[in-house]
Amino acid sequence: MESLELNHFWEQVKAELINVLPENAHPWVYPLEVSAYDKGVLTLVTGQIMGRDLLRRNHYSQIVDVLKKLSKNENSDVEIIYDANAAKSLKKESEKIQKKVAEATLKEQAMENLSYMQSASNLNLKYKFENFVVGETNEFAYKVTKSVAEAPAKKFNPLFIYGNSGLGKTHLMQAIGHYTLFNNSKLKVKYTKTEDYINDFISNTRESKEQVQNMSKFNRKYTNIDIILIDDIQFIEGKKKTMDSMQHTFDTLYNKGKQIVITSDRVPKEIPKLTAALCSRFEMGLMLELTPPDVQTRFEILKKLAVEKDLKYTEDALKYIARNFSNNVRELEGAFNKVCAYAEVSDLEFDLNLAKSVLKCEEAESELTFEAITNVTSEYYGVNLDDLKGTARGQKVSEARHMAVYLSRELTNKSFVTIAEYFNKKHTTIMFAHEKIKKEIQVNKELSNAVREIKQALKVL
Ligand code: ADP
Ligand code: MG
């Protein structure tokens, strides 16, 4: 047999052996190598003495049966021999495997260290950049915080993030912590809520014999670090001594070239009784405002939550929630979780009906006007508004007109008759235009993109 043919034959035999032999014999089969096949006798080589003996003793007849079956030769036989060279290469193989295992263990160890450090710095594993949904309204905030994370103390120092509750301040702040730790696990990151800082400060300044030691321990804890993340600084209001301590912490870190990130629900000037010294320090770097996400981003956030939960849902249910919870991501998530819980407990599908019955939102009437729709559409296509509403012909104008009609029907609750009045056309013409676009977006990518982009400009889903 040619060696190519021999190898091929052996691969077939081996596959069949794995098939028929019990699992505990597999470790002896895998290292077997084929040496010859002559007059029905297959010679196999192994580097394992024990493998040779066990296969010979326990599985000899099974192996011969496999040979007979595959070669259709009744005089088949097998010879298994031990070879020290095979043993050497086997040893090399196993050393390679051991090395790989060791490397993997090391990597695992590093990941463990990292997660230990993340918890030591009080970070919540959920609050990473990967889990933050970026849209038009928060893209700037995302980029700024990411660039701080990429180059701590090099760009925006201090970084002061402010905005209403539930908009992602804590999330982005902690994302900086995770990101820096992941890229350089030697960095010392400390996340602290302002209340905890205050309590820590108070308990360490209590009069006692160890007061001096306690204070220096306290100072070391907050200044012997590379990145400090202080959450909800507005709670420091009026606490004079804590503010002085915060000023000391701030100055020490700042002068050592360490990154400072602070969040607050308002700008420094609006924090009551904040010392002028702290106020001016907080304003020294970049003041980054977080604003509520737009409806598309809210929808994307919900989709992400649904995917994480591996949830079966209908899009209109998520759209309903996205439309109705506009000011606060925490409440948006809360609404989603509430519907989820109902779906789970009552074994119902997460659909629009369920969302409506659970959340009972009073949906504001769509405020979108025909004017807004036609304006944006004419702008999108670069056609004159009068042409769009008139009788001008030409492919671009017609498409823009049909699109404006289609969107007027889809995005308002108005009848074809009312729409027809606005466009000064017969209502059958309007119905035809609507139907045409509706059909065509199923197959025409460019057109469905146009729908998406115009809706985006109109800030609707
Ligand atoms: P804040 O600190 O401003 O009060 P949080 O950072 O605690 O708000 O955010 C509230 C919740 O909303 C968190 O669960 C957070 O993960 C989530 N969240 C906020 N913005 C986003 C976003 N853009 N993408 C994903 N989740 C977000
Ligand atoms: Mg917060």
Side-chain angles (χ1 to χ4, degrees):
M1 231 185 219
E2 290 284 327
S3 84
L4 206 65
E5 216 180 323
L6 177 62
N7 276 326
H8 180 68
F9 177 62
W10 165 232
E11 284 308 321
Q12 283 178 323
V13 173
K14 194 163 161 181
E16 186 60 17
L17 287 178
I18 293 298
N19 220 355
V20 299
L21 296 186
E23 217 163 294
N24 63 8
H26 293 182
W28 312 119
V29 175
Y30 285 116
L32 289 174
E33 276 172 34
V34 69
S35 156
Y37 183 54
D38 191 24
K39 300 193 185 89
V41 181
L42 184 72
T43 308
L44 299 173
V45 178
T46 178
Q48 300 165 317
I49 295 182
M50 200 167 165
R52 175 198 64 187
D53 296 345
L54 286 174
L55 288 174
R56 273 184 189 166
R57 181 158 12 110
N58 299 338
H59 303 293
Y60 171 77
S61 59
Q62 280 167 299
I63 301 173
V64 172
D65 285 345
V66 166
L67 279 177
K68 281 183 188 164
K69 187 175 127 193
L70 290 179
S71 65
K72 301 193 175 70
N73 180 347
E74 269 309 304
N75 296 321
S76 292
D77 202 355
V78 68
E79 183 99 59
I80 302 173
I81 52 178
Y82 167 77
D83 176 3
N85 280 334
K88 258 187 226 148
S89 73
L90 199 71
K91 195 161 166 241
K92 267 198 201 135
E93 245 342 274
S94 92
E95 272 169 2
K96 254 194 233 161
I97 290 170
Q98 268 172 13
K99 203 170 148 215
K100 270 197 188 140
V101 169
E103 277 168 8
T105 317
L106 255 168
K107 211 164 165 189
E108 216 165 82
Q109 188 71 43
M111 293 304 279
E112 257 171 37
N113 286 350
L114 186 64
S115 82
Y116 166 76
M117 273 175 315
Q118 275 161 339
S119 64
S121 43
N122 286 329
L123 298 177
N124 179 336
L125 280 170
K126 189 186 152 214
Y127 296 153
K128 294 185 172 178
F129 283 123
E130 295 94 296
N131 301 329
F132 191 82
V133 176
V134 186
E136 214 176 295
T137 40
N138 58 20
E139 193 185 2
F140 180 68
Y142 176 83
K143 281 189 175 155
V144 165
T145 43
K146 191 82 183 278
S147 77
V148 165
E150 277 161 359
K154 295 283 186 308
K155 283 211 170 123
F156 307 110
N157 202 18
L159 174 65
F160 192 93
I161 308 172
Y162 69 97
N164 285 340
S165 173
L167 295 183
K169 299 184 295 293
T170 300
H171 189 138
L172 281 176
M173 161 181 261
Q174 294 209 6
I176 296 176
H178 285 296
Y179 191 93
T180 44
L181 274 178
F182 187 79
N183 284 305
N184 182 354
S185 55
K186 290 204 182 74
L187 283 181
K188 282 187 224 133
V189 175
K190 182 156 192 68
Y191 167 84
T192 178
K193 291 188 183 131
T194 300
E195 301 106 287
D196 294 343
Y197 184 93
I198 296 168
N199 291 335
D200 206 7
F201 176 75
I202 292 172
S203 69
N204 281 296
T205 44
R206 245 185 240 123
E207 294 224 3
S208 74
K209 270 186 275 169
E210 294 90 32
Q211 192 191 344
V212 175
Q213 278 152 297
N214 285 348
M215 266 329 283
S216 72
K217 212 168 85 194
F218 174 89
N219 283 334
R220 239 180 299 126
K221 184 164 154 193
Y222 290 95
T223 56
N224 189 20
I225 42 188
D226 299 298
I227 298 170
I228 194 161
L229 310 167
I230 306 170
D231 208 357
D232 288 321
I233 196 73
Q234 74 272 5
F235 291 126
I236 207 165
E237 61 168 280
K239 307 209 169 41
K240 182 75 178 70
K241 282 199 177 137
T242 317
M243 283 195 271
D244 291 342
S245 151
M246 182 66 81
Q247 186 180 330
H248 172 260
T249 301
F250 187 104
D251 290 354
T252 311
L253 288 171
Y254 190 84
N255 291 330
K256 285 202 282 186
K258 306 300 186 187
Q259 176 72 48
I260 301 162
V261 183
I262 302 162
T263 71
S264 164
D265 67 355
R266 63 201 91 165
V267 292
K269 281 207 172 60
E270 285 169 12
I271 300 175
K273 297 190 193 139
L274 185 71
T275 59
L278 269 186
C279 187
S280 64
R281 279 167 176 74
F282 293 165
E283 289 175 346
M284 226 161 65
L286 182 74
M287 309 263 282
L288 176 67
E289 183 179 13
L290 282 192
T291 52
D294 56 23
V295 70
Q296 266 93 24
T297 312
R298 301 201 296 274
F299 180 55
E300 293 301 325
I301 291 174
L302 293 174
K303 272 211 283 200
K304 191 163 204 303
L305 291 175
V307 169
E308 274 163 18
K309 285 201 170 199
D310 209 4
L311 178 81
K312 254 185 77 192
Y313 62 91
T314 62
E315 291 221 335
D316 52 4
L318 297 192
K319 285 182 181 175
Y320 174 81
I321 304 173
R323 276 199 306 273
N324 287 291
F325 292 83
S326 53
N327 296 321
N328 183 318
V329 183
R330 193 176 292 120
E331 284 171 9
L332 181 79
E333 287 186 349
F336 170 86
N337 286 332
K338 196 167 163 189
V339 181
C340 257
Y342 270 84
E344 217 173 283
V345 174
S346 339
D347 206 12
L348 291 167
E349 211 196 331
F350 193 116
D351 62 8
L352 182 60
N353 268 340
L354 183 71
K356 277 186 174 169
S357 75
V358 171
L359 300 171
K360 299 187 180 64
C361 304
E362 282 186 23
E363 279 224 76
E365 269 283 302
S366 156
E367 282 166 22
L368 215 52
T369 58
F370 297 147
E371 280 81 13
I373 295 171
T374 38
N375 278 340
V376 171
T377 309
S378 71
E379 217 173 276
Y380 181 85
Y381 281 96
V383 305
N384 196 300
L385 194 58
D386 289 336
D387 287 346
L388 190 148
K389 289 182 67 183
T391 51
R393 287 174 187 273
Q395 208 207 331
K396 208 157 93 174
V397 181
S398 309
E399 187 177 315
R401 189 179 300 134
H402 293 162
M403 178 63 83
V405 167
Y406 169 78
L407 291 172
S408 296
R409 173 68 183 181
E410 293 293 309
L411 304 178
T412 71
N413 299 321
K414 301 293 190 303
S415 67
F416 282 122
V417 175
T418 319
I419 299 171
E421 270 167 27
Y422 176 78
F423 284 93
N424 206 8
K425 299 268 171 353
K426 279 194 272 180
H427 96 274
T428 45
T429 311
I430 294 297
M431 283 172 78
F432 170 78
H434 173 262
E435 193 58 28
K436 188 172 154 64
I437 298 284
K438 190 175 175 182
K439 274 211 185 111
E440 208 164 325
I441 50 177
Q442 307 294 330
V443 289
N444 183 336
K445 193 116 195 163
E446 215 173 298
L447 202 66
S448 59
N449 266 343
V451 170
R452 192 172 43 81
E453 283 173 22
I454 296 170
K455 278 183 175 178
Q456 236 165 33
L458 286 164
K459 307 226 171 301
V460 289
L461 280 172

